[in-house]
Each structure stands twice: as structure tokens, then as C-alpha cells.
Amino acid sequence: MAGPARPGAATFDALAFRTVPLAAFALLGVACAAAGPAWSRAAAPWPWLVSLVFVGLPHGAADLAVTRRMCRGLAAVAGLFAAYIALMAVAGGGFVLAPLPVLLLFVALSGWHFGAAHADAQAPPIVRRPGALALAALARGAPVLGVPLAVWPEASAGVAAAMTGLAGAASGIDAATVRATGLALVALGAAGLAAEAWRTRRDPGGPARSWSTLVDMAVIGGLEAVADPLFAVGCYFLGWHAWRQMRLLAPALGGPPIADARSLLTALSRIHVAALPLLVPTWAAIAAAWWLLPGGNLPRDLRGLAILSLAVYVVVTPSHDLLMDWWRSRGRQA
């Protein structure tokens, strides 16, 4: 799952999917540090609200279209997607019945999903040796969640409380536990990156990939250290994780690899259209939940809508991640 090979395409790929996002994160970090935490807290819902219609949710809602291209025959598509929907139902039911354990599992799964996707988008690809993907996912995914938990434990605990509150339950998570968990994740991520750098020090391109990963994580972590956690993680999800997966989805949906601005716009259009069969029902479900949930469980403001969108990701991420893991394994076998 590597990027384009042509020199011009590779230059555009690096610019669009690494340089520009990192520069935006650095500028946002400076702005948030200068404006103070109140500004990023007020702006916190916006990355999540934008992601409902652009790149964020659509990149996952394209799963049906990806499944149709990955499987041969209607029966195979129907079987795989029935399992996809069934796992969504299990995740949704579990969140309603036991919101805190499911939320903790979601955090762990998100770390894996973010980290593995980050590694997928790097070149050269991670060498296929035992444990290489798990180490790569740990090095890239654990700090993304660890920094906001460690630096903003009260605010992070507040997000957890708001999410479990959707199911009418208290989170029971205190700020000290959140901080300790965050510090542990940051330490695990640092150890994972150090171990990966050591194991790949003699691989072609290995040291360069380790260095670029360190730069990526430093810039992302810098934004997370100075901005409200809901805002910072939302920016990461929209501007890094989901955005960079566009480059992998374009050929998976039958289009050419992204090589320039025109092919990027074409790919974005193709992906969003392909996402509509899942995207429209998801929007309808969000609207229904927004209307039906008691006001005490869900504040009727933009932050409440952002929290509700996070609950949607709790439901859909397990299915989406398993599909991506399967897609990744098929790509490596090929």
C-alpha cells in the first residue's frame, strides 16, 4: 500500500498528504498557544462537524463501494457486508448496554487503526517481519491518543463523560487515571518508534522513514499539547487520518492514483459519491438520535452534535477497521 511511483506524482503526494497537513497543524498549534485554551474549546466541534460531510465520515462510508470491488460475486459482497452490518449492530448495542467498556475498547481500536493507517501511507512500506505492523501501529497510534490524555486529563475525562452520558451512564473515570493512561501511551509510542528504528536501521529507506515519523508525531503532538483535546483529535482525524486515506481509496474505487490537483479533485468527488449509499442512512440516524435523545443526555448545541458524531464512530469503527485490515492483508499477499 505505497504511494505513487512517478517522480512528479510522488512530489505532489508528499505535498498534499504530508507537507500541507503538517504545516496546517503547526500554524494551528501556534494560533492555539497564542489564543489560549478557550479559543480551541470554542472551536472544538468544527473539525467533527466538517468531517460528517467532507472526507471524515465519507472515507469510512465508502466501505460498501470498496467491498463491491474487493469481492467477486454478489453472494460474497452480501456475505461480507452482512457481517459488516452485524458488527455495527453489536458495537451499537454494546455501547448502549455497557458504554464505558465499549468506549475503552474503541480508544484502543482507534489507536491501532490510526497507527496502521499512518504506516500504510508511508514509503517505503513497513518490512514484513514478525510484529512489524503492530510495532508501527503502536509507534504512530499510541501518542496521538496519549498526548491529549496526558496534557488535558480533565477535558478528556469530560469528553468521556459526555459520551457515556448518551447512554444515560456515568463514566466513572477520574482525571488522574486519564493522565496516567496518557503518559503510558506516550511512553509506549516512544518505545515502539525506537524499537522500529532499531529494527529497520539497515533497511533501504528505514532510517528516513523513522525520522519522518518522528517529525510527524512531533508536529501532531505539539498541536495536541496546546489545544483542547476534542479540537486537536478532530483536526488529526479530519486533516491527517481520513485525508491521507483518500490516496489509498482512489485506486481501490477504480480511479487512477492521485498525481496532481485535478486527479485529487476527481478522487474526492468519486469517493464522496461512492460513500452516499452508507452516508445518507448515517446522516438520517444522526438526525434521529439528535431528535430523540433526551436533552439531559445530549446538549442541543454544536458540541453536543460533535459528541454524537463521536458515538457514530464508536459504532462504525470496528467494522471499518476489520475491513481495512482485510484489505491490507490482501494487498500484502498480492
Side-chain angles (χ1 to χ4, degrees):
M1 304 180 78
R6 291 190 292 115
T11 299
F12 181 82
D13 182 89
L15 176 66
F17 294 106
R18 183 167 184 261
T19 304
V20 170
L22 289 180
F25 291 165
L27 290 173
L28 275 174
V30 172
C32 290
W39 183 87
S40 59
R41 177 175 173 80
W46 285 106
W48 299 103
L49 300 183
V50 171
S51 73
L52 287 175
V53 296
F54 179 71
V55 175
L57 189 59
H59 98 275
D63 282 351
L64 176 57
V66 172
T67 302
R68 291 170 61 184
R69 294 193 60 87
M70 288 172 61
C71 298
R72 295 182 179 179
L74 182 60
V77 173
L80 181 60
F81 215 70
Y84 186 101
I85 298 298
L87 185 55
M88 283 178 54
V90 170
F95 183 68
V96 171
L97 297 174
L100 181 56
V102 171
L103 183 58
L104 295 176
L105 288 173
F106 167 70
V107 170
L109 181 61
S110 296
W112 164 268
H113 184 61
F114 289 161
H118 189 158
D120 285 340
Q122 291 181 297
I126 296 296
V127 176
R128 288 180 291 176
R129 54 168 61 97
L133 180 60
L135 200 60
L138 179 69
R140 294 155 179 80
V144 168
L145 301 176
V147 171
L149 295 180
V151 179
W152 303 87
E154 292 86 2
S156 299
V159 172
M163 292 189 67
T164 58
L166 294 176
S171 72
I173 300 179
D174 62 273
T177 301
V178 172
R179 185 186 295 276
T181 302
L183 291 172
L185 287 173
V186 172
L188 286 171
L193 183 56
E196 179 188 310
W198 176 258
R199 294 179 74 186
T200 62
R201 67 192 185 280
R202 293 189 177 91
D203 295 346
R209 185 185 55 238
S210 297
W211 172 251
S212 68
T213 302
L214 180 62
V215 173
D216 295 347
M217 303 317 300
V219 175
I220 293 166
L223 172 61
E224 292 180 325
V226 299
D228 179 89
L230 188 63
F231 177 78
V233 176
C235 288
Y236 169 85
F237 172 71
L238 176 63
W240 187 264
H241 171 71
W243 176 249
R244 283 161 64 87
Q245 287 209 319
M246 297 293 106
R247 64 198 287 277
L248 305 178
L249 281 171
L253 293 175
I258 296 172
D260 50 32
R262 174 176 292 185
S263 59
L264 173 60
L265 293 175
T266 301
L268 288 174
S269 175
R270 180 190 294 267
I271 290 164
H272 284 74
V273 170
L276 288 175
L278 277 182
L279 198 55
V280 172
T282 304
W283 288 339
I286 292 172
W290 179 257
W291 179 262
L292 295 173
L293 278 172
N297 293 42
L298 181 66
R300 295 296 193 268
D301 56 19
L302 294 181
R303 191 175 182 88
L305 186 54
I307 294 295
L308 182 58
S309 75
L310 273 172
V312 171
Y313 294 118
V314 170
V315 174
V316 303
T317 294
S319 298
H320 173 63
D321 179 70
L322 285 178
L323 183 65
M324 293 301 100
D325 286 343
W326 183 50
W327 179 22
R328 186 179 296 114
S329 69
R330 285 181 51 139
R332 293 188 173 206
Q333 290 168 7

